[in-house]
Amino acid sequence: MKKTIDILKSAKRAAADVSLLTKERKEKALFSMAESLILAKAEILKANALDIEAARNSVSDVMIDRLTLTDARILDMAEGIKKVASLPDPIGKVISSSTRDDGLIIEKITAPIGVIAIIYESRPNVTSDAAALALKSGNVCVLRGGKEAYRSAKAIVDALREGLIKSGENPDLINLIEDTSRDSANELMRANDYVDMLIPRGGAGLINACIQNATVPCIQTGTGICHIYVDREADINMALNIVENAKMSRPSVCNAAEVCLVHKDIAKQFLPLLKERLTGKERPKTAELILDKAASLIIDGTPQNENSFDTEFLDYKLAIGVVDSVDAAISHIAEHSTHHSEAIITNNPSTAEKFTLSVDSAAVYVNASTRFTDGGEFGLGCEMGISTQKLHARGPMGIEELTTYKYIIRGNGHIR
């Protein structure tokens, strides 16, 4: 097993190579990576099957779905790389330029961050997304996946590195940490001499560990206690469709709804319909409805506990509360949200505007599902993660969010 420090040293050396890549060379490398990924599909699926077999008795069915790769998902990963390749190059753009009275020219231009480390859990597709975005934005990536997905990540990285070699580029532009113990995660968090930015993608435990222990710059991503507020002036059928999609389409992802708040004036009409929609016998999967006191007087479900409205379930579970007004919904969200994605369903433009201006989250929706908070859906090709903080990056992180800037000053013998 290769030592983490040796991988970091290789990544740091490679950062000098990637900063010199032209737009054309990056595009060529990315298309080659996508092609190699497809060619290695059989090996990747074989590795993934071993990961699934090892994880089957220790994680939930929804987490198995998160871990699982298929022919279609690998093709989607390759297509995501191609989309990133086709995006405008984010490096070297002039943000501002000025010329002083003495002729000194000062330009502010976009630049790569350098070495970006990503610690993530059981989603193999993050491996290719992160590698593509890092390369397109002129960065080197150091990937540290979870042990439950290591075989899959290794097969993917092997294919991507083969694509780099075929295109004539340094394979150390993409690196995978081989040690899946906590020691390697802690080493990345403190690798100030080698890592320029750390991005954790996973549950609250991983993100909190990085926040508390990292000495390298760290972007908070991922944890999503996402809310949908159904206003008294909502279209009932629209609300049912949106809540169903936001909760049931893929509950293991961070943009899935975890809380539904319903205005008291329509609760008696809406909640029985919602219960039927999410728990009906015709459904292949049904949701557990976790109810506050007011909701439990209208429909049957599981009584809330003290943590029900502060939990990212990542499962077929939905916390439901009844509120007196849009102001009460906004207050509830302010108290319990992780500032990821929130939605209001209403036909009242003034109520919608109040909600969007007052709710302090990275993505705020009107009459749409929170499931759209995704780099691909936002036209970014794919994403490095979804930032829930405010400094540097917020919301889905594409290539623009993986750049910084620097000043280029051009003179002609100027002295101060």
Side-chain angles (χ1 to χ4, degrees), residues 30 79-87 132-133 136 380-382 399:
L30 287 163
E79 190 61 30
I81 296 174
K82 293 177 183 178
K83 288 180 180 177
V84 170
S86 301
L87 293 172
L133 289 166
K136 182 70 178 188
L380 307 179
C382 52
I399 54 175

Side-chain angles (χ1 to χ4, degrees), residues 105-300:
I105 300 170
I106 303 173
E107 286 186 335
K108 182 180 181 181
I109 69 166
T110 55
I113 288 173
V115 176
I116 299 176
I118 306 97
I119 302 177
Y120 57 105
E121 294 175 338
S122 59
R123 294 183 66 185
N125 65 294
V126 172
T127 306
S128 62
D129 289 354
L133 289 166
L135 178 57
K136 182 70 178 188
S137 54
N139 297 290
V140 172
C141 67
V142 177
L143 304 163
R144 194 277 188 186
K147 62 181 179 181
E148 70 284 351
Y150 178 76
R151 298 178 188 87
S152 304
K154 176 70 164 57
I156 293 167
V157 168
D158 285 348
L160 298 178
R161 286 170 64 94
E162 180 64 23
L164 287 173
I165 293 169
K166 287 180 178 178
S167 66
E169 305 301 345
N170 184 351
D172 289 337
L173 301 179
I174 303 170
N175 305 274
L176 180 69
I177 298 298
E178 298 179 14
D179 178 6
T180 58
S181 71
R182 290 185 180 180
D183 292 342
S184 66
N186 290 331
E187 197 168 350
L188 287 180
M189 293 178 202
R190 298 184 176 91
N192 294 69
D193 292 334
Y194 302 100
V195 173
D196 296 293
M197 184 169 73
L198 173 65
I199 303 174
R201 284 193 64 170
L206 169 62
I207 293 167
N208 289 336
C210 290
I211 293 169
Q212 293 167 12
N213 298 310
T215 58
V216 301
C218 182
I219 299 285
Q220 300 174 37
T221 71
T223 304
I225 300 179
C226 302
H227 296 73
I228 296 179
Y229 165 57
V230 182
D231 185 51
R232 66 179 176 182
E233 295 180 75
D235 180 299
I236 296 295
N237 194 55
M238 176 193 291
L240 291 169
N241 290 338
I242 288 173
V243 175
E244 179 182 21
N245 175 261
K247 178 70 268 182
M248 306 298 282
S249 63
R250 202 170 182 195
S252 64
V253 293
C254 62
N255 58 22
E258 304 290 18
V259 178
C260 179
L261 303 174
V262 183
H263 194 288
K264 65 177 183 179
D265 289 356
I266 64 164
K268 289 183 179 179
Q269 177 187 5
F270 180 75
L271 289 180
L273 296 172
L274 182 64
K275 178 179 172 64
E276 176 61 27
R277 183 70 70 94
L278 301 187
T279 67
K281 293 181 180 179
E282 75 285 354
R283 293 201 62 89
K285 293 285 187 179
T286 59
E288 177 185 357
L289 305 183
I290 301 169
L291 311 176
D292 74 357
K293 185 175 181 180
S296 68
L297 296 175
I298 302 171
I299 58 174
D300 295 328

Side-chain angles (χ1 to χ4, degrees), residues 11-37:
K12 193 69 173 180
R13 288 192 295 269
D17 295 334
V18 73
S19 65
L20 297 175
L21 292 186
T22 63
K23 174 179 179 291
E24 290 73 23
R25 285 176 64 186
K26 285 190 282 188
E27 287 180 0
K28 180 182 177 182
L30 287 163
F31 279 109
S32 180
M33 286 160 54
E35 181 181 352
S36 290
L37 195 68

Side-chain angles (χ1 to χ4, degrees), residues 5 41 65 130 138 191 231 253 263 286 294 312 353 357 365 409:
I5 186 61
K41 186 170 59 174
D65 175 68
D231 185 51
V253 293
H263 194 288
T286 59
E312 186 183 27
E353 183 177 16
L357 293 176
Y365 293 84
I409 301 93

